[in-house]
Amino acid sequence: EVQLVESGGGLVQPGGSLRLSCAASGFTVSSNYMSWVRQAPGKGLEWVSVIYSGGSTYYADSVKGRFTISRDNSKNTLYLQMNSLRAEDTAVYYCARAGPVVVVTAHPHWYFDLWGRGTLVTVSS
Amino acid sequence: DIQMTQSPSTLSASVGDRVTITCRASQSISSWLAWYQQKPGKAPKLLIYKASSLESGVPSRFSGSGSGTEFTLTISSLQPDDFATYYCQQYNSYPWAFGQGTKVEIK
């Protein structure tokens, strides 16, 4: 079955760190663009980060310099290392796979075609 | 950054109604727009990509249209399973951005 399963969420104090994992099955993480999207309680969706199949990474300004996306090809798993956490980082974090990537004039275009069920991160003292 | 604005924020409708949700982009995004459905406590589900292409397995009562800055999601005959929150998302340029959501409620 093709699926994504996140883990690693929990309660952390402001300034603390947490690493989220996303285990994939039914497809190969390293062959796809993979992303993290978060949703604060009662709020909308916010894209966080992406890692390309080639290894390039991009981040939302709100997390740049604090979060790091990576993957372990041998474990077929995506990660999000979150440092210097703030109260406003409290959210459900989803990992998501990109659908077919279309490149137009060197710019990639892709949407999210597969989502995990999410893991809750709460930043509070 | 591109901003996405959906309207209305909440919509009350009955089973069988035709429902239309609008999404506007702050600048042209060509047809690089997707629509997702989210139910409480669940992950979003892809409905439409490239503004009007129906994802495999999604009922044909869902349709999308538009290009440039104005887009619509239409449900031709609302079914009980369709009461949910709907989000548009632009994938023209980083950072990818979502609309604030439209909650479809039972009238």
Side-chain angles (χ1 to χ4, degrees):
Chain A
E1 183 185 2
V2 176
Q3 65 176 355
L4 296 165
V5 179
E6 301 94 335
S7 60
L11 175 64
V12 61
Q13 293 189 337
S17 298
L18 209 56
R19 188 178 80 156
L20 306 183
S21 300
C22 172
S25 55
F27 72 98
T28 303
V29 164
S30 62
S31 298
N32 290 268
Y33 286 21
M34 297 294 299
S35 203
W36 289 94
V37 176
R38 68 184 180 182
Q39 186 170 35
K43 301 297 184 181
L45 300 163
E46 180 188 16
W47 170 74
V48 172
S49 181
V50 62
I51 183 166
Y52 289 0
S53 49
S56 298
T57 59
Y58 295 89
Y59 300 90
D61 285 347
S62 57
V63 307
K64 199 173 296 182
R66 301 187 299 124
F67 290 12
T68 302
I69 191 171
S70 64
R71 66 189 182 215
D72 184 328
N73 297 345
S74 66
K75 295 182 178 179
N76 208 31
T77 298
L78 179 73
Y79 300 100
L80 186 68
Q81 176 67 43
M82 304 186 296
N83 299 329
S84 303
L85 282 161
R86 308 166 179 165
E88 55 265 36
D89 296 318
T90 294
V92 174
Y93 284 74
Y94 297 100
C95 71
R97 184 184 71 180
V101 179
V102 177
V103 180
V104 177
T105 57
H107 294 286
H109 302 276
W110 50 272
Y111 49 87
F112 307 100
D113 76 340
L114 178 69
W115 298 67
R117 299 189 68 173
T119 186
L120 176 62
V121 172
T122 303
V123 184
S124 175
S125 55
Chain B
D1 296 358
I2 297 173
Q3 313 298 321
M4 306 300 292
T5 304
Q6 288 180 234
S7 60
S9 295
T10 305
L11 187 160
S12 296
S14 301
V15 172
D17 284 353
R18 181 181 182 87
V19 166
T20 299
I21 299 169
T22 297
C23 177
R24 290 185 173 85
S26 59
Q27 62 190 75
S28 178
I29 58 170
S30 185
S31 295
W32 304 116
L33 184 98
W35 288 97
Y36 302 89
Q37 176 194 67
Q38 187 179 34
K39 297 181 179 179
K42 303 293 186 182
K45 172 189 172 184
L46 176 68
L47 300 175
I48 302 281
Y49 61 95
K50 199 111 186 281
S52 60
S53 295
L54 192 68
E55 172 71 348
S56 176
V58 174
S60 59
R61 62 181 180 272
F62 291 93
S63 64
S65 64
S67 66
T69 61
E70 188 152 338
F71 302 86
T72 58
L73 173 71
T74 300
I75 309 173
S76 60
S77 178
L78 198 65
Q79 297 303 300
D81 191 48
D82 302 337
F83 292 96
T85 300
Y86 294 84
Y87 293 93
C88 62
Q89 178 237 329
Q90 70 85 12
Y91 54 103
N92 180 73
S93 60
Y94 288 142
W96 285 179
F98 295 85
Q100 81 278 15
T102 296
K103 185 175 183 180
V104 177
E105 298 181 327
I106 299 173
K107 190 172 186 179

